[in-house]
Amino acid sequence: MSASTPRSSVSSRFAQFKLVLLGESAVGKSSIVERFAKNVFDDYRESTIGAAFLTQTIQLDSNTTVKFEIWDTAGQERYKSLAPMYYRNANCAVVVFDVTQAASLTRAKAWVKELQRQANENIVIALAGNKLDIVLGDESKRQVTTEEAQAYAKEAGLLFFETSAKTGQNVTELFTAIAKKLPIESVLASRGGASGAVGSNSANARRGIDLKGPSTGATGCQC
Amino acid sequence: MTNIKIPAAFKFIQNDASIRSLQSPSTPPPPSSPQSQSQSQSQSSTHIFLHKARSSPALSPKATTSHHLQQQQQQQQQSSSSSSPPPLPSAIPSFIDQQPPYPKSLALLKLPQDNRYSNASSSTTSYSDRSSASSSISHPHHLLKSTTTTTTTTSTTSTTSTTTTTTTPPDETCSLSDSLTSKDLAEDIISAYSDQPQSSQQPSQQPSQQEEEQEEQLPQSMPPPKSNSDPSRDRYGFKKQSSYISEQEYNAWWETYYPHLQRRKKKWLALMKDNGLSVDHDQPQRFPPPSEKLKRYIRKGIPSEWRGNAWFFYAKGSEKLNANKYVYNKLCTQTATLKNSDTDIIERDLFRTFPDNIHFRIDQNDPDLKEPVLITTLRRLLIAFSVYQPKIGYCQSLNFLAALLLLFMDEEKAFWMLVIITQRYLPGVHEVNLEGVNVDQGVLMLCTREALPKMWNKIAVNFDGSHDPNMLSKLPPITLCTAAWFMSGYIGIFPIETVLRVWDCFFFEDSKTFFRIALTVFKLAEPDLEPLHDPMEIFQVIQTFPKKIIDPGILLGTCFKRRNGIGHISQDEIKKMREFVRAKRQQASIEALKQQQQQFIPMMHHQKSATALPLPQNQQHDLQQPDPESPPSLQHSKSTRLGPKRRSNTAATSSPTPSQKDPPCNDLEEYLHYKHPHGRYSNFTKRMKSLKISSSHTTSNV
């Protein structure tokens, strides 16, 4: 477990959220998580079977800490039947596609649709176009333009980033943007404003979410 | 100049007689420089060849094909080793310094083949001793495939001269003759694919040994070479170090484990002798019949160099293979150019299969960055499988099963083993809907409830810490973790030596092994889980705990201890539980379908959408028209997913171990009733109840 311990910080506000990663096989879901949680990257990672679970904490500001419980999922279509178990009670989701594979965006759209239909109605969804490093090195390999993905994200009300798990570009930004959009205030309020800690209270953070509604204003691409 | 045996299906010449069991010839050779390829092979394998001073009769044609080339490679390698760092001796893993205390001569004489997998090899002297003792150096299939692919001669004469009549089993010749292609075609093929002259040197043969193995009518099962040159890698080419185990820890453990392996090998040799079974060339094809003693031996580990053959034997692989002769070759030919969604995913997974293993990764020192032979083989095997088993197609995790098999047996055997695993051992587990694995997770939850009720209270809970009354249809989140255990046969879950020991038992004792191992993990993790209450933290422990079990003895010792506290589930009980869980899940899914239809009917009514799901005729009349505004099923599903019911259940989270000993669980009660219709508990359950759960672990090797 690589997450930093929230107790070590001086932050007085702590909230914990469940995040699920979805997307087609081999688009880089696990690599994004590894980069975010451990700041490492392997050119070849073993395919994820079933699910992997990690946690990572980020410091939003001097006194606000957000802990992500990250569910990394297998990408193959047939694992989809297990997906509801992941996104059940998820507060946020990162739907990943590969900017060098047009079909992966189609799959990502299907995931977004499913999340919007089946998951927590207030779920914060971010769209991540991964493998940015490849197209930065050779633009001809790009199959999904930034504009196209951004337009879709705006229309569907998603956060959108183009990321590179390999270089780390925009990975932290992605998670920070999600954290900023999460209803930390209402979580804290539902707990009575007490400073949270890992353990028994964490479940409260998972439960006591009351979002105002699906996010509508997508933030711009930051790349 | 002789009979060249070329099945018509083959698009290019495999100039070795064991072509029958091998690769899809229609796959063109990788576009790489033959020279660099062979050189690189020699780099990765020469040490092993030198080790294996044995001749494998049925393989000898293969060996002879490139015998001369190999000799050249060896010479090159030896000379380059001596002139360029690291020299040969230094290429021997560091821990061979920590040799077991038996005399080296004994090891060489008594266990001549032992070092295919044993890192604890020997000195430079023994290298040369062995190589000189060898008249024909055995040549692992996988290497050969590549070698023959790239070194096929332009001269038909020299090619054909490498294949002799005596090297092909007699009835094999007959069978193959049906599909022989013409010499002209062969020449065309050769000229199309060959780009390097080849040795025409006639090998020396060992006819008597050949005859013996020809009787088996089995393709040769030869693992690929194991790279011993890298001290940071184990005997199979995996990195010793993982995120959870350091190289130092590995080496320290190996120092204690290696003598165990040596002891076991001696015991196995004695057992084989007692059963009158030959261990010629250290590649026995037959193994003792089932007995209590054999079970004990297998649980303590099959000698690694015998594993491929032993797994194949106890899984009754030869029955399958003999009933399907040439099927695999045909499949390979048919699927050589296949492109579909399965092949697409297979392609993406190839380099994500054992990326840390030297045999599955591109050699970065190779200027052409050519594809490793085992990757090519794996692709062919998985694609052939996806066509052969359309109910499964390709399922992520099969790549790991196939890849591990390929480290221990030849391609065709590995293919049939994969078929056997998915058909007989783990039925339905990899099928498109993954129902088989879900069923098995339900079974595992039932087993856990019966054997480790305390642990069940901790792990079989939802995110809010509550038990779902419909545990079998709505599996608890922990099964997301344990499903991978079953699908990938614990590969990547345990360190590799531990996986292999589990697989030894698995092929001999059937799938109950996987359940018992899972229970053992829960039991071993109990002390770690004791202080935890957050389901997420518990999940994380269960996820990472197995990765630290480097000593197989701890796992298997606990699992098979006479009074192990987790019971001794029989395969019959597993079968019965599978039936029950499957039925229960089917029932639940039918009910869920009905509920969905109740939701759809009003939608269809309103939208008159042509694209809406059609309802099965036979079920429509059963459905009542629900209130379109508030379908009861929708209300229900909302409330279970995020509704107030769960949210209000906060108390359970802070103390997920409920105060009552037997929390209500409808599925469970139903199962107990199913299992004990007369209210009687089986011996299994009685044992469960009477046994005291001990938290002490064995640290010895079983």
Side-chain angles (χ1 to χ4, degrees), chain B residues 109-144:
Chain B
L109 292 170
K110 296 244 178 188
L111 309 170
Q113 307 308 325
D114 210 11
N115 41 14
R116 180 177 338 140
Y117 285 110
S118 64
N119 268 328
S121 45
S122 53
S123 66
T124 316
T125 315
S126 67
Y127 271 90
S128 54
D129 284 351
R130 290 168 193 210
S131 61
S132 63
S134 167
S135 57
S136 139
I137 293 165
S138 62
H139 209 159
H141 279 327
H142 309 292
L143 265 192
L144 267 157

Side-chain angles (χ1 to χ4, degrees), chain A residues 1 18 24-25 44-47 49 52-53 69 71 76 78-79 89 118 120 202-203 206-207, chain B residues 348-349 351-352 392 394-397 399 430 432 463 487 534 536 540 543 641-642 647 650 653:
Chain A
M1 178 167 159
K18 180 180 165 187
E24 204 182 7
S25 176
Y44 295 108
R45 284 188 55 80
E46 302 210 332
S47 343
I49 310 298
F53 177 73
E69 293 174 341
W71 288 86
Q76 197 184 1
R78 68 186 64 191
Y79 287 89
N89 298 338
Q118 299 283 349
N120 184 334
S202 61
R206 275 195 296 281
R207 252 188 309 280
Chain B
R348 291 181 207 187
D349 274 356
F351 283 99
R352 307 199 298 158
I392 296 173
Y394 174 66
C395 175
Q396 288 187 317
S397 71
N399 53 328
H430 301 89
V432 177
F463 292 123
M487 296 184 77
D534 184 345
M536 290 297 103
Q540 224 162 358
Q543 179 181 252
R641 199 166 57 240
L642 24 112
R647 289 181 187 173
T650 48
T653 307

Side-chain angles (χ1 to χ4, degrees), chain B residues 660-676:
Chain B
Q660 70 269 36
K661 276 179 185 172
D662 296 312
C665 176
N666 296 347
D667 277 352
L668 186 75
E669 283 161 13
E670 211 172 306
Y671 171 69
L672 288 174
H673 182 71
Y674 165 83
K675 193 177 171 189
H676 316 290

Side-chain angles (χ1 to χ4, degrees), chain A residues 26-28 97-100 129-136 163-165:
Chain A
V27 293
F97 70 96
D98 175 352
V99 292
T100 68
N130 195 35
K131 306 197 185 179
L132 184 60
D133 54 288
I134 296 179
V135 298
L136 289 181
T163 58
S164 166

